[in-house]
Amino acid sequence: MNGCATPSRSPEPTATAAGAGDSQVRAMLADVSPQRAKAVVESLVSFGTRHTLSDTESDTRGIGAARRWILAEFEKISMLSGRSGAEAMKVYFDEHTYGPDRRRVPVETQIVNVVAELPGSMPAARDRRYYVIGHYDSRASEALDAQSDAPGANDDASGVAVVMELARVMSQRRYDSTIVFMATAGEEQGLLGARLHATKAREAGSDIRAVLSNDIVGDPKGPSGNVYDRQIRVFSEALPRTLEATQLAQIRRLGMENDSPSRQLARYVAETARQFGLTVQPMLVNRTDRFLRGGDHTSFNEAGFPAVRFTIVEENYDRQHQDVREERGVRYGDLPEFVDAEYLAGVTRVNGAALACLANAPSAPANARIVTANLGNDTLLRWDAAPEPDVAGYEVVWRLTTEHEWTQSRDAGTATEMNLSLNKDNYFFGVLAYDHEGYRSPVTFCTDAPQ
Ligand SMILES: [Zn+2]
C-alpha cells in the first residue's frame, strides 16, 4: 500500500475552494424566485392546450399563442438584461417544417422551438455551448387530440419554467461560454423539436458540451403519499449511440462503460449541487430514461452530444397525458395546483449551479491518458493544456473501479502530467481544469496511450 491517497474530496472541492466564482454563483442562485417560476407554469396552462397540432392563429389558446408568449418573455428578459452589441441575447424561433409522418404528425406541421442565447464573454470559450431545455408542448389522453384541454403543468410547463427563470437571473451576469435557453416543441409527438435542432447543430459542427433537459420537475409528491422534495432524478446514458466499433472496443478493454461524457456530466451536476449545499440534490440514475417513456435529452444524445434528464422521483400517472376529469373520486389531469413553487425553484437552482460553473470553467482537458509504455505499479498521467487564457491549473481525480463518483484528488498545479504511486490496474483516473476564480471543468476520463 502506498501513502498517496488523499482524503475524500466531498463535500468541498480540494484545489480551489471558495474562489470568487463561488460567491458569484451563490448570488445568482439567490435571485431564483419560486413565485416567478410558478407564474410561468400558470401562464402556460392558461393557453388551454399546447398540443403541437393545436391552433396557431388564436392569441389566447393553442400552441401558437403559447410560443409567442414565451418569445415575448425572452425579449423582455433580453431588454432588462442591459446587454448590447455582441453580448446581447439572441431571441428567436427555431422553425422546422415537418411531416406528415406515420406516427403522431398526420399533416405537415411547423415545429417551432423558442430560443434565447446568452453569448459568452470570452473569445476562447464563446463557441462552447451549454443548453438548458424544457418542452412547452402538451397532450391530453389521446396523442392526436389537439382540441381538449391539456394543461401540461408538470409535463412540461415546469421544465419551461426552469428555462425561463434561469434566462432571467443568468442574463444579468457574464459567462465565458454561451448558454442557450430553449423551450422545445413536438416532444409529445416524438421528441421532434429537440431532434430537429440537435441534427441541425451536428451538421453545423456546433460545439454543444452539455444539455440539461428538464421534463416533469414540479411535483415532489408521489402517489404513494411520499414527498421527495429534496431530490431530483438525473438520468444519463452509458454508451453513446454514435460510437464506432473501435471506440466500443476501447470501452470494453478499459472498463469505461460507466464513464460516458453524459455520465461525467451527471456526476458534475451532483458535485455542484453538493458544493453549493442546495436543498434539492440529484439522485443519479444510470439509465437513459424511465421505462416506456422518452425525452428530449435522447435526441441530443443521438446526435452525439452529452445530455441528461431531470425528473421528479415518483411520478403520478393519473396526472400525465390525461384528460382533465374526475372518475370515481379520482382526479385526473396535469394541473398547476400540483406544482410546488419552492421545489420547482430548488430544481432550477440545481440546473443554475451546474450551468454557471460549466459556462465559466475552462474546457475539460483533452487527450487525458494513462501512459502505458511499460509495465509498472505506478501511474503516469498526461493531458493537453486547456485553451482558455484564465486556466489556473489541473486536478487529477481517481476512484476504485467499483465506486461510482470520484472520491480522491490531487492538485497538479499548472503541470500537464502527474506520477502517482498507485497501481493503474486498480483505479479509474480523470483530469479536470480550473480557473483563477475557482470554476472547475467536468472530468475527462483517462484512456491509455504509449506516451
Ligand atoms: Zn414531458
Side-chain angles (χ1 to χ4, degrees):
M1 189 64 201
N2 63 78
C4 278
T6 54
S8 170
R9 58 204 287 266
S10 64
E12 286 295 321
T14 49
T16 56
D22 188 87
S23 54
Q24 290 165 17
V25 176
R26 282 179 202 281
M28 182 272 290
L29 296 175
D31 283 352
V32 170
S33 155
Q35 291 72 31
R36 229 171 349 238
K38 177 81 189 264
V40 167
V41 173
E42 279 157 2
S43 294
L44 286 170
V45 169
S46 76
F47 296 106
T49 175
R50 306 185 305 280
H51 192 280
T52 296
L53 306 171
S54 64
D55 190 352
T56 57
E57 300 295 321
S58 163
D59 282 330
T60 53
R61 185 176 176 87
I63 193 159
R67 66 180 167 239
R68 288 190 293 277
W69 177 78
I70 298 169
L71 189 85
E73 288 296 303
F74 276 156
E75 279 169 349
K76 259 188 251 172
I77 289 167
S78 169
M79 213 145 67
L80 291 171
S81 72
R83 304 167 68 104
S84 58
E87 286 204 329
M89 276 182 103
K90 290 182 201 137
V91 177
Y92 59 95
F93 281 146
D94 170 45
E95 281 199 69
H96 307 263
T97 304
Y98 176 84
D101 66 13
R102 287 157 188 251
R103 301 180 67 246
R104 293 180 175 176
V105 182
V107 292
E108 186 178 283
T109 303
Q110 290 305 110
I111 306 288
V112 184
N113 303 312
V114 193
V115 187
E117 283 185 33
L118 198 61
S121 302
M122 180 189 284
R126 188 173 295 145
D127 287 345
R128 282 194 277 135
R129 294 161 74 85
Y130 297 93
Y131 278 62
V132 58
I133 67 175
H135 69 88
Y136 71 94
D137 65 311
S138 66
R139 60 167 283 185
S141 295
E142 293 298 325
L144 292 181
D145 177 359
Q147 307 301 326
S148 301
D149 277 354
N154 258 298
D155 187 10
D156 181 33
S158 65
V160 178
V162 169
V163 170
M164 291 176 68
E165 182 59 7
L166 284 179
R168 200 189 63 79
V169 300
M170 296 187 85
S171 61
Q172 302 291 320
R173 298 169 169 84
R174 298 285 179 277
Y175 300 90
D176 293 350
S177 311
T178 295
I179 302 178
V180 182
F181 307 90
M182 182 163 76
T184 63
E187 197 271 354
E188 303 290 9
Q189 308 312 112
L191 320 179
L192 301 176
R195 179 166 300 130
L196 292 162
H197 185 92
T199 305
K200 199 168 81 175
R202 184 190 56 202
E203 285 163 1
S206 182
D207 188 7
I208 301 175
R209 299 286 178 106
V211 178
L212 309 181
S213 177
N214 289 267
D215 195 350
I216 313 178
V217 294
D219 181 8
K221 202 169 169 185
S224 67
N226 293 327
V227 180
Y228 301 91
D229 57 359
R230 299 191 151 247
Q231 281 179 300
I232 182 78
R233 287 187 292 175
V234 179
F235 290 83
S236 61
E237 68 172 6
L239 300 181
R241 192 156 128 174
T242 46
L243 290 175
E244 310 274 339
T246 52
Q247 295 170 303
L248 269 172
Q250 181 189 51
I251 289 171
R252 194 176 301 119
R253 187 167 55 78
L254 297 179
M256 54 188 285
E257 62 274 4
N258 193 19
D259 282 273
S260 66
S262 293
R263 201 144 287 169
Q264 302 304 354
L265 175 60
R267 291 188 180 101
Y268 189 88
V269 169
E271 173 134 350
T272 340
R274 271 200 300 273
Q275 182 190 339
F276 291 99
L278 302 181
T279 51
V280 176
Q281 291 286 319
M283 168 187 168
L284 301 186
V285 183
N286 288 350
R287 276 206 171 107
T288 302
D289 210 332
R290 304 103 72 234
F291 288 103
L292 304 177
R293 291 287 204 237
D296 281 340
H297 63 307
T298 303
S299 294
F300 282 92
N301 283 159
E302 286 174 1
F305 300 120
V308 298
R309 176 194 182 123
F310 291 74
T311 299
I312 55 168
V313 173
E314 191 180 295
E315 293 168 76
N316 192 330
Y317 302 108
D318 292 348
R319 297 179 192 160
Q320 287 179 10
H321 307 179
Q322 293 282 358
D323 290 342
V324 180
R325 67 194 190 280
E326 195 163 328
E327 275 174 19
R328 297 186 202 87
V330 179
R331 295 180 69 201
Y332 293 88
D334 190 355
L335 301 167
E337 65 203 75
F338 303 125
V339 171
D340 179 323
E342 291 293 336
Y343 177 72
L344 181 56
V347 176
T348 304
R349 291 189 189 102
V350 177
N351 279 265
L355 264 186
C357 291
L358 285 165
N360 269 334
S363 301
N367 201 17
R369 66 225 187 248
I370 303 170
V371 177
T372 52
N374 301 303
L375 289 170
N377 285 303
D378 60 350
T379 303
L380 174 61
L381 304 171
R382 289 199 179 118
W383 56 91
D384 295 351
E388 292 80 7
D390 64 340
V391 172
Y394 304 93
E395 188 181 316
V396 168
V397 295
W398 64 95
R399 67 181 204 264
L400 283 168
T401 59
T402 49
E403 286 176 318
H404 183 60
E405 292 198 59
W406 301 105
T407 52
Q408 312 288 322
S409 68
R410 178 169 299 175
D411 186 21
T414 53
T416 53
E417 69 170 49
M418 181 183 282
N419 204 354
L420 289 164
S421 329
L422 288 170
N423 188 328
K424 55 186 158 298
D425 300 334
N426 301 347
Y427 299 89
F428 291 138
F429 298 90
V431 188
L432 62 86
Y434 58 87
D435 72 7
H436 289 288
E437 294 178 307
Y439 290 111
R440 300 144 60 81
S441 77
V443 170
T444 305
F445 187 85
C446 294
T447 56
D448 64 338
Q451 54 183 348

